Amino acid sequence: MLAKRIIPCLDIKDGRTVKGTNFVNLRDAGDPVELAANYAKQGADELVFLDITATVERRKTLAELVKRVAHTINIPFTVGGGIKTVEDVSVLLNNGADKISINTAAFQNPQVITDIANTAGSQCVVLAIDTRQEEDGEWYVYLHGGRTKTNAKCFDWAKKAVDLGAGEILLTSMNHDGTKAGFALDITQQFSDALPIPIIASGGGGTMQHFADVFLKAHADAALAASVFHFKEIEIPALKTFLAKQNIAVRL
Amino acid sequence: MKLAIIKYNAGNIQSVLVALERLGVQAEVTDKAEKIKAADKVIFPGVGEASSAMNSLRQNNLDQVIKELEQPVLGICVGMQLLCEHSEENDTTCLGIVPVKVKKFQSGKELIKIPQVGWNTIYDLKSDLFKNVPENSYIYNVHSYYADDSEYTIANCNYGLEYAAAVKKDNFYGVQFHTEKSAETGDQIIKNFLELL
């Protein structure tokens, strides 16, 4: 049976792992390669590296870091941040990344999703969506690491991206990110139940029960979190044991 | 031992090379027919789309080279699919070494997401490729297409239906999952391949 995935996310800035609350107030959280190796040892199912400075600073890739990570860990990892073209993707894959995630550039140029899918396969295209629920109750797409609001509703964009060839969706609720108050169950469930590709829920995981909820109630395929893992508030082996006891399939 | 990794336009060559380096094994990534033929073992990796991968092989005449290999060959993911007869992915005629068809997952009675992404278990393990690998070990998958279960199946997996997680015909082995990304289980399978006679 396919297991639910636990994915620690490492936000990278200037080669260091950082973590903030609601996309600001960044704190140093250590060396990414060391953290990655440690997570792999603890039983993380996958890792995501997001260069949160990339879009603003137009920094192209994390090629060097990707190479070091690939030489260290034996589980899959996704790399995102500043990816705009098929060439950007090739550089990362050639350095050992398994998947790439694309966010702002895909929204601005949706064709790139198809271009990447056609050359590298849909399975390596993770569409990242940062979304915020506004006072009107609708979930809108935000760009540039959460700094730019659009008028697009996130579910509409996700549906379009699936048609264009996205292989997975990494859905981050900006309302929940950094709050440790639980994942955005409603929008995650809407995505999981209506879209034919895997959904990675992100933002808000603070307790082990929050992870159980996002799998059992919101039907997410994977759950991603950063600070609770970085600062060892939740240990992955204990989390997986907890989930297994609630009959959630996990890799132990 | 000389180990060759076939170089062509398909994704995870670097991942496979790096996995071997982690295990302390040297390999040469090459598209030269004579080097591939002279290797003791050959790994045929692949991530991506079947028809462009086949075109890349044909452009370099590697399709013929692979068919004629007599040493152990391990196809991984799309590499395995290309060892088969035909893939539904863009209606691609593959190498035809293992007479099995590659089909697309369909969400049916049991609702499944496509691609299958993540860790699933393999069972009914039948070959030395799985020496010291317990039944129901977790392996990592990323794929939308699968090889039909057949007499060539040496490991099964279930995702909406039962399919071949691994195949073998003569000296040709194929695994659908990513040995290079399957933690300790994957490392063990790579070691087993390297020890095959």
Side-chain angles (χ1 to χ4, degrees):
Chain A
M1 189 175 178
L2 188 67
K4 299 288 189 182
R5 287 172 281 155
I6 299 296
I7 308 179
C9 175
L10 295 88
D11 288 341
I12 306 295
K13 191 175 183 224
D14 305 322
R16 297 285 292 178
T17 314
V18 291
K19 184 61 194 170
T21 302
N22 291 59
F23 285 82
V24 291
N25 296 326
L26 300 177
R27 281 196 283 167
D28 188 272
D31 172 47
V33 179
E34 250 172 60
L35 275 166
N38 203 19
Y39 284 139
K41 208 182 291 172
Q42 285 180 31
D45 296 306
E46 199 169 327
L47 297 173
V48 170
F49 296 84
L50 288 179
D51 188 344
I52 58 170
T53 62
T55 311
V56 173
E57 297 178 3
R58 302 280 180 258
R59 206 171 62 171
K60 274 292 182 184
T61 63
L62 300 168
E64 260 317 297
L65 178 63
V66 167
K67 198 169 198 169
R68 285 175 59 216
V69 171
H71 277 85
T72 310
I73 64 170
N74 58 7
I75 58 170
F77 67 100
T78 300
V79 181
I83 294 168
K84 290 190 181 60
T85 64
V86 171
E87 291 70 39
D88 295 339
V89 172
S90 303
V91 169
L92 294 169
L93 296 181
N94 288 337
N95 277 283
D98 300 289
K99 311 178 206 177
I100 57 87
S101 93
I102 187 162
N103 188 333
T104 303
F107 187 85
Q108 292 172 337
N109 172 26
Q111 176 63 31
V112 77
I113 296 175
T114 309
D115 293 344
I116 298 168
N118 283 344
T119 50
S122 279
Q123 77 292 328
C124 85
V125 185
V126 180
L127 178 75
I129 301 177
D130 294 327
T131 186
R132 184 193 291 278
Q133 188 175 30
E134 303 289 347
E135 281 168 10
D136 63 2
E138 295 285 354
W139 293 85
Y140 291 92
V141 176
Y142 275 70
L143 305 178
H144 301 113
R147 285 181 289 274
T148 310
K149 183 182 184 295
T150 73
N151 290 320
K153 289 171 189 155
C154 76
F155 187 74
D156 296 341
W157 166 226
K159 252 169 70 178
K160 183 177 171 189
V162 169
D163 291 340
L164 290 168
E168 277 183 273
I169 289 177
L170 166 53
L171 181 68
T172 301
S173 162
M174 294 169 60
N175 305 72
H176 296 73
D177 189 50
T179 64
K180 296 184 190 170
F183 293 91
L185 297 180
D186 291 357
I187 190 70
T188 301
Q189 187 189 347
Q190 188 192 349
F191 270 55
S192 298
D193 291 352
L195 297 174
I197 62 174
I199 306 300
I200 305 165
S202 157
T207 66
M208 295 200 276
Q209 188 58 44
H210 292 154
F211 287 82
D213 289 344
V214 84
F215 293 134
L216 292 173
K217 294 181 183 167
H219 312 145
D221 299 282
L224 177 146
S227 61
V228 289
F229 297 137
H230 295 332
F231 299 116
K232 296 192 168 56
E233 290 159 33
I234 294 178
E235 301 274 4
I236 292 167
L239 173 58
K240 287 195 160 182
T241 307
F242 177 87
L243 296 173
K245 278 187 188 148
Q246 303 201 28
N247 290 323
I248 297 166
V250 286
R251 180 180 67 107
L252 286 170
Chain B
M1 187 184 68
K2 276 187 288 182
L3 181 62
I5 300 177
I6 297 175
K7 180 182 174 184
Y8 68 115
N9 184 25
N12 68 334
I13 290 171
Q14 188 64 23
S15 299
V16 172
L17 185 63
V18 165
L20 292 166
E21 284 175 15
R22 282 198 307 267
L23 297 172
V25 180
Q26 294 294 317
E28 184 170 13
V29 179
T30 180
D31 56 4
K32 300 275 180 293
E34 61 275 21
K35 285 194 171 168
I36 296 169
K37 284 181 195 163
D40 299 305
K41 300 234 163 80
V42 176
I43 293 182
F44 179 32
V47 159
E49 191 276 316
S51 68
S52 61
M54 270 311 293
N55 284 337
S56 171
L57 289 179
R58 286 197 196 98
Q59 276 164 14
N60 297 308
N61 232 358
L62 290 172
D63 54 334
Q64 281 310 316
V65 173
I66 294 169
K67 284 183 199 175
E68 289 162 12
L69 292 175
E70 291 174 353
Q71 63 274 57
V73 176
L74 178 64
I76 300 175
C77 194
V78 171
M80 164 188 167
Q81 295 177 2
L82 296 185
L83 292 176
C84 298
E85 199 176 324
H86 176 269
S87 172
E88 286 184 357
E89 189 169 22
N90 290 326
D91 192 15
T92 302
T93 301
C94 302
L95 294 167
I97 293 166
V98 185
V100 170
K101 290 205 172 9
V102 175
K103 298 176 177 171
K104 183 159 193 183
F105 281 125
Q106 304 290 343
S107 189
K109 261 188 218 160
E110 188 184 334
L111 292 177
I112 57 167
K113 301 289 182 80
I114 300 164
Q116 173 177 219
V117 178
W119 299 82
N120 203 335
T121 48
I122 45 173
Y123 54 91
D124 292 343
L125 309 178
K126 275 179 200 139
S127 143
D128 281 350
L129 195 61
F130 299 108
K131 205 172 73 183
N132 296 326
V133 175
E135 287 281 319
N136 298 310
S137 292
Y138 274 100
I139 42 77
Y140 186 77
N141 304 278
V142 186
H143 61 126
S144 301
Y145 295 82
Y146 65 92
D148 251 349
D149 193 17
S150 73
E151 64 192 280
Y152 303 102
T153 302
I154 53 169
N156 280 109
C157 187
N158 194 308
Y159 189 62
L161 59 103
E162 189 168 75
Y163 68 91
V167 295
K168 175 184 185 296
K169 183 166 186 286
D170 307 323
N171 55 315
F172 290 91
Y173 296 77
V175 290
Q176 175 59 62
F177 49 90
H178 288 273
T179 46
E180 76 282 10
K181 290 290 167 181
S182 291
E184 286 68 28
T185 301
D187 291 345
Q188 181 65 48
I189 292 168
I190 294 175
K191 282 183 202 155
N192 289 343
F193 175 70
L194 297 176
E195 285 169 10
L196 286 175
L197 296 175

